[in-house]
Amino acid sequence: MKFNITINIPFFLFLSFAFLISCLSSIKDPKDEFVYVQNIRGQSEEELELNAKRKILENGLGELIQGSSQVISGKLKDSIVNSSVEGFVLEYSKIGITRKLATGLLEIDAKGKVNQKAVQDALRERYKDLGKPKFLVFIEERILGKQNIKEKVGITENEIVRIFSDFDFLEKKQFYRVLFKEGKKDPGAFSEQSFEDKILSLASESEAQILLVGQTEVTDLGRIEDTGLHSYQSVLRFKIFDVNTARIIAADNSSGVSPHINPNTGIQNSIKRSVEKAYPKIRDQISNKWKPGNLIRIKIEGLSYEDYLDKDVQGVIRTIQGVNRVSEASGGDPNKGIVLEIEALYNGGALYQKLRERKEDFGLEFSGKEVKPSYIHLFFKK
């Protein structure tokens, strides 16, 4: 019996290994499934293959593009689809023969796999082009009953800048100068709501995309028994706004406690811990709810509505890289002029520069009477 068992062990192991391989090979990642397309038409075999790959990408990208929509422009999907020969479609093959239609066009069926990694890499590269979200922070601090000056950069803001390395931060001193230029030197003159409204209004005229407004309160919870330590607690209450839409992205409280013999160190450590606890909430909410872009209004003067239509001004603007949407805010009312609303991945100054670069496409001379981050006034010369 021992002899027979010894003889059968290698055979048993072989069967087990073969069965395991068979099971593993039968498990397919849904992302590796073929995408089938039918009735693809073109004038040559090369055009048929390109059109088929484009259709494979269009059919296969849906979930990926939707899931990554916060880091792409409206043009990126078209860019990827038009570059489908650049490694975005794997294992492409034609199914059956090429059919010739009565119209003279050729037609095929085909299949291929979408290279998810290559597309994800393209999305990451596009995100690098967009840059990091630009952040404005306004934190009021009350430490052991003493309120800091709003204009002063406090401990909380320094910790936010240090921990939130995913974002670019803007200098806020200029906003305070504008905020209090009408003689309102005392920050307490503003209610919480009016202060938020005023800051949002100012932020919309800047490059800021995300605004964080909040308060930090630090209290001494008392001496820890049988030690020389005091326990310091900080509570950070905050709201985060999408500057473009004035929508609240997140609102939450976060707290941190630090025992220490030195009050200054204990206070700083407790604030640091409250910011560290807040960071994942803020990061996740922004990634889920914020989409990069700016809303820019363009007022057109000196151009009749008929010329505006004939020159396809709206169409030319829509084709500019990084412009996601163009719509008319007001029609051809000669008293109001023509006003367009543009969603773009940059501010008004950058958009105006791109408009200048496309001047020949308009077929008309124009100049900028006023150019602001969220507003452009164009004057067309006849």
Side-chain angles (χ1 to χ4, degrees):
M1 291 293 291
K2 291 181 181 179
F3 177 77
N4 288 337
I5 292 173
T6 305
I7 290 293
N8 288 332
I9 284 175
F11 180 67
F12 174 76
L13 291 175
F14 172 77
L15 285 178
S16 299
F17 183 71
F19 177 73
L20 180 61
I21 292 295
S22 175
C23 290
L24 290 174
S25 62
S26 66
I27 299 173
K28 294 183 179 179
D29 186 337
K31 294 179 182 177
D32 291 334
E33 295 291 343
F34 278 100
V35 177
Y36 292 84
V37 293
Q38 293 82 35
N39 305 323
I40 303 301
R41 297 179 181 181
Q43 296 182 351
S44 66
E45 289 290 342
E46 292 78 11
E47 186 177 339
L48 284 171
E49 178 176 341
L50 182 59
N51 291 342
K53 286 183 176 179
R54 286 173 174 165
K55 193 64 179 177
I56 288 169
L57 275 166
E58 287 176 357
N59 292 350
L61 279 180
E63 185 176 345
L64 175 65
I65 289 294
Q66 287 300 317
S68 301
S69 61
Q70 71 271 20
V71 296
I72 66 171
S73 73
K75 297 290 181 182
L76 182 59
K77 182 172 180 179
D78 292 336
S79 175
I80 288 177
V81 170
N82 291 334
S83 304
S84 56
V85 294
E86 302 293 336
F88 292 120
V89 175
L90 302 175
E91 299 184 40
Y92 168 82
S93 63
K94 183 173 68 173
I95 301 174
I97 62 172
T98 301
R99 304 179 292 273
K100 188 168 184 178
L101 305 178
T103 58
L105 291 175
L106 303 177
E107 185 180 77
I108 63 167
D109 303 326
K111 67 176 182 178
K113 296 179 181 179
V114 176
N115 187 342
Q116 300 275 358
K117 184 179 185 305
V119 176
Q120 285 281 20
D121 289 345
L123 291 172
R124 292 191 190 97
E125 288 302 312
R126 181 58 180 154
Y127 188 62
K128 290 178 184 177
D129 293 341
L130 297 179
K132 299 176 182 179
K134 292 181 173 59
F135 220 97
L136 263 180
V137 179
F138 291 87
I139 297 290
E140 176 189 1
E141 287 181 341
R142 184 178 293 275
I143 298 176
L144 305 184
K146 185 178 179 181
Q147 184 172 334
N148 74 343
I149 301 172
K150 269 195 170 81
E151 295 98 314
K152 184 180 178 182
V153 175
I155 300 171
T156 309
E157 185 171 343
N158 281 331
E159 287 297 330
I160 288 174
V161 172
R162 184 182 66 83
I163 294 171
F164 287 43
S165 57
D166 298 338
F167 308 106
D168 283 337
F169 291 86
L170 298 177
E171 174 59 57
K172 68 177 185 181
K173 289 182 180 178
Q174 58 178 317
F175 294 94
Y176 277 113
R177 284 196 292 268
V178 175
L179 188 63
F180 303 125
K181 70 179 180 180
E182 297 177 357
K184 292 183 177 179
K185 300 297 182 183
D186 178 13
F190 291 97
S191 66
E192 180 181 338
Q193 185 63 46
S194 65
F195 182 76
E196 290 175 0
D197 291 343
K198 186 66 176 176
I199 291 296
L200 262 174
S201 176
L202 292 174
S204 67
E205 295 296 317
S206 73
E207 295 182 355
Q209 296 164 303
I210 298 170
L211 172 67
L212 188 152
V213 181
Q215 302 88 32
T216 296
E217 185 167 0
V218 182
T219 55
D220 183 351
L221 299 181
R223 185 170 174 269
I224 300 174
E225 190 175 356
D226 298 328
T227 71
L229 305 175
H230 278 243
S231 182
Y232 298 94
Q233 180 186 53
S234 67
V235 177
L236 169 62
R237 302 176 180 88
F238 61 86
K239 292 180 185 177
I240 300 175
F241 296 87
D242 180 338
V243 173
N244 184 36
T245 62
R247 185 167 59 100
I248 296 177
I249 295 175
D252 210 337
N253 297 343
S254 181
S255 63
V257 177
S258 175
H260 209 279
I261 193 169
N262 184 317
N264 292 332
T265 305
I267 290 167
Q268 184 152 346
N269 286 344
S270 70
I271 291 176
K272 174 183 175 182
R273 290 174 183 174
S274 67
V275 173
E276 287 175 340
K277 286 175 67 176
Y279 170 68
K281 303 176 189 177
I282 295 173
R283 179 199 60 207
D284 294 345
Q285 288 296 316
I286 290 175
S287 67
N288 289 332
K289 296 182 180 180
W290 176 78
K291 293 180 174 59
N294 293 286
L295 183 64
I296 306 164
R297 293 174 72 89
I298 297 181
K299 181 176 181 180
I300 296 173
E301 185 182 347
L303 195 64
S304 69
Y305 195 69
E306 288 71 21
D307 287 340
Y308 159 79
L309 294 175
D310 291 343
K311 297 295 183 180
D312 192 21
V313 173
Q314 186 173 346
V316 172
I317 296 174
R318 188 180 290 111
T319 61
I320 295 175
Q321 186 69 28
V323 169
N324 293 338
R325 181 180 67 86
V326 183
S327 60
E328 287 188 28
S330 63
D333 185 339
N335 297 319
K336 295 182 179 179
I338 302 167
V339 179
L340 303 178
E341 286 190 348
I342 316 293
E343 283 185 7
L345 296 171
Y346 29 72
N347 65 17
L351 177 58
Y352 180 67
Q353 178 62 38
K354 292 179 182 295
L355 290 171
R356 299 290 298 174
E357 293 169 0
R358 300 289 295 273
K359 187 188 294 187
E360 292 184 1
D361 294 339
F362 291 105
L364 293 167
E365 283 290 326
F366 65 85
S367 60
K369 292 185 70 173
E370 187 176 2
V371 179
K372 292 183 176 181
S374 60
Y375 177 75
I376 300 174
H377 186 171
L378 294 180
F379 179 75
F380 281 82
K381 305 171 185 176
K382 294 183 179 180

